[in-house]
Amino acid sequence: MKVAITSQGPELRSQTDPRFGRAAWVIIIDPATKEFEAVDNSVNVNAFKGAGIQAATLIADKGADVLMTGHCGPNAFNTLNAAGVKVVNGITGTVEETLEKFIAGGAEYASDANVEGHAGQNR
Amino acid sequence: MIISIASGKGGTGKTTVAANLALSLQDSGLVEDFNLLDCDVEEPNLHLFLDPGVVTETEITTFVPVVDQEKCTGCRKCVDICRFAALTFVRDKVLVFPALCHSCGGCQLVCEFGAIGDDSRSLGVVESGVVNGHAIHSGRIRIGEAMSPPLIKAVRRHEKEAELTIIDAPPGTSCPVIAAMRGADFVLLVTEPTPFGLHDLQLAVEAVKVLGIPAGLVINRADLGDSRVQEYAEREGLEILMQIPFERRFAEAYSRGQSIVDVSPEWREKFQRLYVRIAGIVEAKAS
């Protein structure tokens, strides 16, 4: 199992990043072994549009089962949902603290996006 | 001939000038046949001053991709070519986000397996009617739609239907304005003598230069503010074709949906002269 956590830096003691699509880094961790990979998300930070969709695809490609972030918009949520990635919103503190909470069973999965979309919505 | 009325800054009087020009050309003998296009599709308002009454609506749509998952091999070429992230690939499936699509058709071109079919997204409607025997076509964008240039182009398909077309352009200097100015024979810029009016006029003038279209200036509420707009126009060689004073009766007429020429018939001749001068500039450029 793998958990993806949005982060402001590439380490476990880095502060989490409340943004999803435009988070600086995504830390992909195996909670059992605490082995992790820090994925540089700078391409999506500067994305013209659709940063959430791209970041969601990246996380799905990395094989994450759960995403833990601050805010997740509707397009990103739908992409994660299609990829079978569960979403935990509203995280705070460091990556390590967030992971501990997850291991302790303190994670609540979201059933919907928790923020409004930007321009890429509705037709 | 196509005259596009633009401004840079919003609220300077584009629609006022468009409506007055149309009313003044009515039965003037100067032009047989003209039509009006409201290309300010995010907030069309020309119909408030030239009311066609009954209109027919034509829905305008744009291409968005639909994926045949049976034919899709998962090569991701469509995902890679889309710079707007309108397509992505997760769990062996292409997902489409139609609202992000800019209708370039790149995904269809690169798909070697014919897996990308045609779907559509509504952009809005064109409302067509007749005022005093002249056609008026107004674009009205769908609420929530972000992409207006294709709708503006749909409105402009009517410009070949008359000898003279008067376009009421949107404010600003971005893509929608360019869509409403490109290909016009003349851009009539309307501004006001305020710092914002001057600033945005300068941007609009630069845009018109890039497009290579002859332009002239109408200064509305000309007796307000200072003379910096006049000085700028002189430096730029931008001809001031008309100055409309800030008059209470004009503002009152506007608030009732009336035009300047309705309350002040002597302005009819001034707008006719404005048209004659524009026609002269366009003709001089053509020869």
Side-chain angles (χ1 to χ4, degrees):
Chain A
M1 151 154 225
K2 282 183 187 171
V3 178
I5 300 175
T6 52
S7 168
Q8 295 177 29
E11 291 163 54
L12 289 182
R13 60 169 194 276
S14 303
Q15 283 292 314
T16 53
D17 197 326
R19 299 169 302 171
F20 171 53
R22 294 178 199 274
W25 294 83
V26 180
I27 314 290
I28 312 230
I29 322 169
D30 183 336
T33 63
K34 302 226 175 145
E35 268 176 39
F36 72 95
E37 179 191 357
V39 182
D40 185 351
N41 192 42
S42 54
V43 180
N44 289 329
V45 169
N46 299 314
F48 176 50
K49 265 187 181 177
I53 296 167
Q54 307 273 41
T57 305
L58 175 84
I59 283 165
D61 287 348
K62 290 282 178 189
D65 302 284
V66 175
L67 164 71
M68 302 184 78
T69 189
H71 313 291
C72 182
N75 284 341
F77 190 88
N78 289 342
T79 306
L80 292 161
N81 203 28
V85 179
K86 289 181 182 162
V87 180
V88 179
N89 284 318
I91 60 164
T92 51
T94 65
V95 173
E96 223 160 14
E97 288 162 3
T98 304
L99 181 69
E100 290 308 326
K101 254 183 225 164
F102 176 81
I103 293 168
E108 208 174 295
Y109 296 121
S111 57
D112 218 335
N114 73 336
V115 283
E116 296 262 318
H118 307 294
Q121 280 296 302
N122 114 38
R123 70 188 287 204
Chain B
M1 179 164 67
I2 299 160
I3 301 173
S4 188
I5 303 177
S7 71
K9 185 184 175 299
T12 57
K14 289 179 295 299
T15 304
T16 297
V17 169
N20 279 286
L21 188 58
L23 288 167
S24 303
L25 290 174
Q26 181 79 35
D27 307 319
S28 66
L30 289 171
V31 51
E32 279 291 297
D33 169 33
F34 64 86
N35 65 7
L36 294 144
L37 307 183
D38 194 343
C39 288
D40 189 0
V41 301
E42 288 181 52
E43 40 196 348
N45 64 347
L46 188 55
H47 64 283
L48 299 177
F49 302 93
L50 298 169
D51 184 5
V54 185
V55 294
T56 54
E57 279 190 7
T58 311
E59 192 186 20
I60 306 299
T61 61
T62 190
F63 160 82
V64 295
V66 59
V67 180
D68 184 340
Q69 305 289 351
E70 297 282 303
K71 290 184 184 165
C72 178
T73 62
C75 72
R76 294 196 188 207
K77 280 186 183 166
C78 57
V79 174
D80 293 340
I81 201 168
C82 184
R83 65 172 293 219
F84 299 103
L87 302 131
T88 192
F89 188 81
V90 287
R91 282 234 173 144
D92 303 329
K93 247 184 96 171
V94 175
L95 289 187
V96 182
F97 295 88
L100 292 172
C101 178
H102 281 54
S103 309
C104 73
C107 51
Q108 229 171 19
L109 277 176
V110 296
C111 183
E112 293 163 32
F113 309 97
I116 310 257
D118 292 18
D119 198 355
S120 68
R121 178 180 88 219
S122 174
L123 294 172
V125 294
V126 177
E127 298 170 345
S128 302
V130 176
V131 180
N132 305 328
H134 299 282
I136 175 167
H137 305 277
S138 301
R140 184 179 296 277
I141 201 164
R142 178 181 57 80
I143 292 172
E145 174 58 52
M147 201 166 70
S148 64
L151 179 59
I152 292 169
K153 284 174 194 160
V155 179
R156 289 191 60 182
R157 286 202 279 269
H158 292 283
E159 67 196 15
K160 299 289 166 211
E161 294 161 9
E163 184 189 328
L164 169 68
T165 293
I166 299 168
I167 295 175
D168 190 5
T173 43
S174 62
C175 301
V177 186
I178 303 301
M181 297 198 300
R182 177 174 280 150
D185 297 295
F186 193 85
V187 173
L188 185 56
L189 293 163
V190 184
T191 195
E192 58 182 27
T194 63
F196 286 131
L198 174 60
H199 177 267
D200 293 0
L201 172 68
Q202 290 170 326
L203 297 178
V205 166
E206 293 307 314
V208 174
K209 273 189 205 164
V210 171
L211 294 172
I213 305 171
L217 187 62
V218 172
I219 304 178
N220 193 13
R221 301 186 276 268
D223 44 353
L224 282 182
D226 56 29
S227 59
R228 281 186 291 171
V229 167
Q230 281 90 341
E231 289 158 14
Y232 165 76
E234 204 163 299
R235 280 200 307 278
E236 273 294 320
L238 184 66
E239 187 174 336
I240 299 171
L241 299 169
M242 178 181 266
Q243 302 204 45
I244 304 171
F246 185 54
E247 277 193 31
R248 188 180 177 90
R249 63 196 174 122
F250 292 171
E252 283 175 352
Y254 179 89
S255 72
R256 291 190 299 264
Q258 288 184 309
S259 293
I260 294 171
V261 296
D262 291 328
V263 293
S264 196
E266 68 273 20
W267 276 84
R268 201 174 131 90
E269 204 196 313
K270 293 182 186 179
F271 276 97
Q272 287 170 354
R273 282 205 300 269
L274 170 67
Y275 169 73
V276 170
R277 178 69 191 127
I278 291 171
I281 294 169
V282 171
E283 209 170 290
K285 204 208 171 194
S287 61

